[in-house]
Amino acid sequence: GVLSALHCVLCIAENAIGNDALRCDDIIKFFGGRTCEINNTDAEGRLVLADGVAHATAPNVLPGKRVDIVVDMATLTGAQMVATGKNHAAVFSNSEELERKAVVAGRRTGDLVHPLPFAPEFYRSEFASKVADSKNSVKDRMNAQSSCAANFIYENLWEGWDGEWLHVDLAGPATDNERGTGF
């Protein structure tokens, strides 16, 4: 059993059109206070996921004690399949120990994962904006795009939160022949 509280924050997005849909050059403000210039309307899932991780790591938002570990999972990028293929999800973490546990658990269960490089100092500039804290998509799609997208989520953890965080990009193993795999 779990000896401490377990919370689930659902961050659900739908690609939709309409009068309220985001458009390129729109600027939004996240729950954590950061602003974001929209430069890719197909990168909408990361916007709600960014709010979700900020919500999960903000002080005194979730009931109980402070949140020590956050694991987010998303079909975040098609680039994940380029990086780790259709059989391995990609993991990106600020904790080598949590990353190692994810790899070991994946081997045990068959839900295989492989680490991506965690190097925020290399990826931040991909999201540079002149009018907001960041853009929502990379400027160079040939520069570790899956790592960059995960880093976008990392940058939205609540400022000052010092827990362990693991991002799982499962775009490849989540489907097979247009059907969900249960990964």
Side-chain angles (χ1 to χ4, degrees):
V2 176
L3 298 178
S4 56
L6 177 66
H7 301 279
C8 179
V9 178
L10 296 176
C11 307
I12 301 171
E14 179 182 15
N15 250 347
I17 57 173
N19 293 337
D20 294 329
L22 292 173
R23 293 172 176 82
C24 286
D25 299 327
D26 283 352
I27 297 175
I28 62 170
K29 186 173 183 180
F30 290 117
F31 176 78
R34 292 176 50 88
T35 56
C36 181
E37 175 187 358
I38 305 302
N39 68 326
N40 181 341
T41 57
D42 195 36
E44 77 293 344
R46 68 188 63 181
L47 303 175
V48 294
L49 188 53
D51 263 353
V53 297
H55 182 87
T57 55
N60 305 315
V61 172
L62 296 176
K65 297 179 181 177
R66 117 189 229 303
V67 173
D68 296 317
I69 300 171
V70 170
V71 177
D72 75 68
M73 300 167 70
T75 55
L76 195 65
T77 66
Q80 173 272 311
M81 291 178 273
V82 175
T84 62
K86 293 182 179 181
N87 297 312
H88 287 77
V91 292
F92 187 86
S93 182
N94 67 349
S95 164
E96 288 183 21
E97 179 63 20
L98 186 57
E99 178 182 275
R100 186 190 65 71
K101 287 178 180 179
V103 170
V104 169
R107 288 182 183 149
R108 241 186 252 138
T109 64
D111 291 330
L112 302 171
V113 301
H114 189 78
L116 295 171
F118 179 78
E121 65 277 15
F122 294 143
Y123 305 134
R124 263 185 209 114
S125 63
E126 286 294 330
F127 299 95
S129 168
K130 293 181 181 177
V131 295
D133 293 317
S134 69
K135 292 183 179 182
N136 75 316
S137 191
V138 295
K139 64 180 174 185
D140 181 359
R141 291 184 175 266
M142 300 306 289
N143 186 17
Q145 193 177 140
S146 193
S147 292
C148 287
N151 193 75
F152 179 88
I153 304 305
Y154 172 72
E155 296 291 338
N156 283 280
L157 295 169
W158 195 264
E159 189 173 338
W161 181 76
D162 62 353
E164 294 179 289
W165 167 76
L166 177 80
H167 166 72
V168 182
D169 189 340
L170 48 98
T175 60
D176 185 30
N177 292 321
E178 299 182 12
R179 297 284 182 226
T181 62
F183 187 96

